[in-house]
CSV table of all heavy atoms in Angstrom, one decimal:
chain,number,residue,atom,x,y,z
A,185,ALA,N,20.5,52.7,9.6
A,185,ALA,CA,20.6,53.4,10.9
A,185,ALA,C,21.8,53.0,11.5
A,185,ALA,O,22.2,51.8,11.7
A,185,ALA,CB,19.3,53.1,11.7
A,186,PRO,N,22.5,54.0,12.2
A,186,PRO,CA,23.8,53.7,13.0
A,186,PRO,C,23.4,53.0,14.3
A,186,PRO,O,22.3,53.2,14.9
A,186,PRO,CB,24.4,55.0,13.3
A,186,PRO,CG,23.2,55.8,13.3
A,186,PRO,CD,22.2,55.4,12.2
A,187,GLN,N,24.2,52.1,14.8
A,187,GLN,CA,23.9,51.4,15.9
A,187,GLN,C,24.4,52.1,17.2
A,187,GLN,O,24.3,51.7,18.4
A,187,GLN,CB,24.7,50.0,15.9
A,187,GLN,CG,24.1,49.1,14.8
A,187,GLN,CD,24.8,47.7,14.7
A,187,GLN,OE1,25.3,47.2,15.7
A,187,GLN,NE2,25.0,47.2,13.6
A,188,GLY,N,25.0,53.2,17.0
A,188,GLY,CA,25.5,53.9,18.2
A,188,GLY,C,25.6,55.5,17.8
A,188,GLY,O,24.9,55.9,16.7
A,189,GLU,N,26.4,56.1,18.3
A,189,GLU,CA,26.7,57.6,18.0
A,189,GLU,C,27.6,57.7,16.7
A,189,GLU,O,28.5,56.9,16.6
A,189,GLU,CB,27.3,58.3,19.1
A,189,GLU,CG,27.6,59.9,19.0
A,189,GLU,CD,28.1,60.5,20.3
A,189,GLU,OE1,27.4,60.6,21.3
A,189,GLU,OE2,29.3,60.9,20.1
A,190,VAL,N,27.2,58.7,15.9
A,190,VAL,CA,27.9,58.8,14.6
A,190,VAL,C,29.2,59.5,14.9
A,190,VAL,O,29.3,60.5,15.6
A,190,VAL,CB,27.1,59.7,13.7
A,190,VAL,CG1,27.9,60.0,12.4
A,190,VAL,CG2,25.6,59.1,13.4
A,191,PRO,N,30.3,58.8,14.5
A,191,PRO,CA,31.7,59.4,14.8
A,191,PRO,C,31.9,60.6,14.1
A,191,PRO,O,31.4,60.8,12.9
A,191,PRO,CB,32.5,58.3,14.5
A,191,PRO,CG,31.8,57.5,13.5
A,191,PRO,CD,30.4,57.6,13.8
A,192,GLY,N,32.6,61.5,14.5
A,192,GLY,CA,33.0,62.7,13.8
A,192,GLY,C,34.4,63.2,14.1
A,192,GLY,O,35.0,62.8,15.0
A,341,GLU,N,25.8,71.9,19.0
A,341,GLU,CA,26.9,71.1,19.6
A,341,GLU,C,27.5,70.2,18.4
A,341,GLU,O,27.0,69.6,17.6
A,341,GLU,CB,26.1,70.0,20.5
A,341,GLU,CG,27.1,69.1,21.3
A,341,GLU,CD,26.3,68.1,22.0
A,341,GLU,OE1,25.2,68.1,22.1
A,341,GLU,OE2,27.1,67.3,22.8
A,342,LYS,N,28.8,70.3,18.5
A,342,LYS,CA,29.7,69.6,17.5
A,342,LYS,C,29.4,70.1,16.1
A,342,LYS,O,29.6,69.3,15.1
A,342,LYS,CB,29.6,68.0,17.5
A,342,LYS,CG,30.1,67.5,18.9
A,342,LYS,CD,30.1,65.9,18.8
A,342,LYS,CE,30.7,65.5,20.2
A,342,LYS,NZ,30.7,64.0,20.1
A,345,GLU,N,32.2,69.8,13.6
A,345,GLU,CA,32.8,68.4,13.3
A,345,GLU,C,32.1,67.8,11.9
A,345,GLU,O,31.0,68.0,11.7
A,345,GLU,CB,32.6,67.4,14.4
A,345,GLU,CG,33.5,67.8,15.6
A,345,GLU,CD,33.5,66.5,16.6
A,345,GLU,OE1,32.7,65.7,16.5
A,345,GLU,OE2,34.4,66.6,17.4
A,347,SER,N,31.4,64.4,9.5
A,347,SER,CA,31.0,62.9,9.6
A,347,SER,C,30.9,62.4,8.2
A,347,SER,O,30.7,63.2,7.3
A,347,SER,CB,29.8,62.7,10.5
A,347,SER,OG,28.6,63.2,9.9
A,380,PRO,N,24.6,57.2,7.7
A,380,PRO,CA,23.6,56.9,8.7
A,380,PRO,C,22.4,57.8,8.5
A,380,PRO,O,22.5,58.9,8.4
A,380,PRO,CB,24.5,57.2,10.0
A,380,PRO,CG,25.4,58.2,9.5
A,380,PRO,CD,25.7,57.8,8.2
A,394,LEU,N,22.1,61.7,9.5
A,394,LEU,CA,22.6,61.8,11.0
A,394,LEU,C,23.9,62.3,11.0
A,394,LEU,O,24.9,61.6,10.4
A,394,LEU,CB,22.3,60.4,11.8
A,394,LEU,CG,20.9,60.0,11.9
A,394,LEU,CD1,20.8,58.7,12.5
A,394,LEU,CD2,20.1,61.0,12.7
A,395,LEU,N,24.2,63.3,11.7
A,395,LEU,CA,25.5,63.9,11.7
A,395,LEU,C,26.5,63.5,12.9
A,395,LEU,O,25.9,62.8,13.8
A,395,LEU,CB,25.6,65.5,11.6
A,395,LEU,CG,24.7,65.9,10.3
A,395,LEU,CD1,24.4,67.3,10.3
A,395,LEU,CD2,25.4,65.4,9.0
A,396,ALA,N,27.5,64.1,13.1
A,396,ALA,CA,28.5,63.8,14.2
A,396,ALA,C,27.9,64.0,15.5
A,396,ALA,O,27.1,65.0,15.8
A,396,ALA,CB,29.7,64.6,14.0
A,397,GLY,N,27.9,62.9,16.4
A,397,GLY,CA,27.3,63.0,17.8
A,397,GLY,C,25.9,62.5,17.7
A,397,GLY,O,25.4,62.4,18.9
A,398,GLN,N,25.2,62.4,16.7
A,398,GLN,CA,23.9,62.1,16.7
A,398,GLN,C,23.6,60.5,16.7
A,398,GLN,O,24.4,59.9,16.2
A,398,GLN,CB,23.1,62.7,15.5
A,398,GLN,CG,23.1,64.1,15.4
A,398,GLN,CD,22.3,64.8,14.3
A,398,GLN,OE1,22.2,64.1,13.3
A,398,GLN,NE2,22.0,66.1,14.4
A,399,THR,N,22.5,60.1,17.1
A,399,THR,CA,22.1,58.7,17.2
A,399,THR,C,20.7,58.5,16.5
A,399,THR,O,19.9,59.5,16.5
A,399,THR,CB,22.1,58.2,18.7
A,399,THR,OG1,21.0,59.0,19.4
A,399,THR,CG2,23.4,58.3,19.3
A,400,ALA,N,20.4,57.4,16.1
A,400,ALA,CA,19.1,57.1,15.5
A,400,ALA,C,18.0,56.8,16.5
A,400,ALA,O,18.3,56.2,17.7
A,400,ALA,CB,19.2,55.9,14.6
A,423,LEU,N,23.3,50.1,10.1
A,423,LEU,CA,24.4,50.3,9.5
A,423,LEU,C,25.6,49.5,10.3
A,423,LEU,O,25.7,49.8,11.5
A,423,LEU,CB,24.8,51.7,9.6
A,423,LEU,CG,26.0,52.4,8.8
A,423,LEU,CD1,25.9,52.1,7.3
A,423,LEU,CD2,26.3,53.7,9.1
A,425,VAL,N,28.8,48.4,12.1
A,425,VAL,CA,29.9,49.2,12.7
A,425,VAL,C,31.1,49.2,12.1
A,425,VAL,O,31.8,50.3,11.9
A,425,VAL,CB,30.2,48.5,14.1
A,425,VAL,CG1,31.3,49.2,14.9
A,425,VAL,CG2,28.8,48.5,15.1
A,428,GLN,N,31.8,52.4,9.7
A,428,GLN,CA,32.0,53.7,10.2
A,428,GLN,C,33.5,54.0,10.4
A,428,GLN,O,34.2,53.1,10.7
A,428,GLN,CB,31.2,53.9,11.5
A,428,GLN,CG,29.7,53.8,11.3
A,428,GLN,CD,29.1,55.1,10.9
A,428,GLN,OE1,29.6,55.9,10.0
A,428,GLN,NE2,28.1,55.6,11.7
A,429,PRO,N,33.9,55.3,10.3
A,429,PRO,CA,35.4,55.5,10.6
A,429,PRO,C,35.7,55.1,12.0
A,429,PRO,O,34.9,55.3,13.0
A,429,PRO,CB,35.4,57.1,10.5
A,429,PRO,CG,34.1,57.4,9.6
A,429,PRO,CD,33.1,56.4,10.0
A,431,VAL,N,37.6,56.5,15.0
A,431,VAL,CA,38.2,57.6,15.5
A,431,VAL,C,38.3,57.6,17.0
A,431,VAL,O,37.7,56.6,17.6
A,431,VAL,CB,37.2,58.9,15.2
A,431,VAL,CG1,37.2,59.0,13.6
A,431,VAL,CG2,35.9,58.7,15.9
Side-chain angles (χ1 to χ4, degrees):
Q187 299 183 28
E189 185 177 290
V190 177
E341 184 180 359
K342 295 188 178 183
E345 289 193 347
S347 60
L394 294 173
L395 304 173
Q398 295 180 339
T399 57
L423 191 64
V425 175
Q428 294 278 49
V431 298

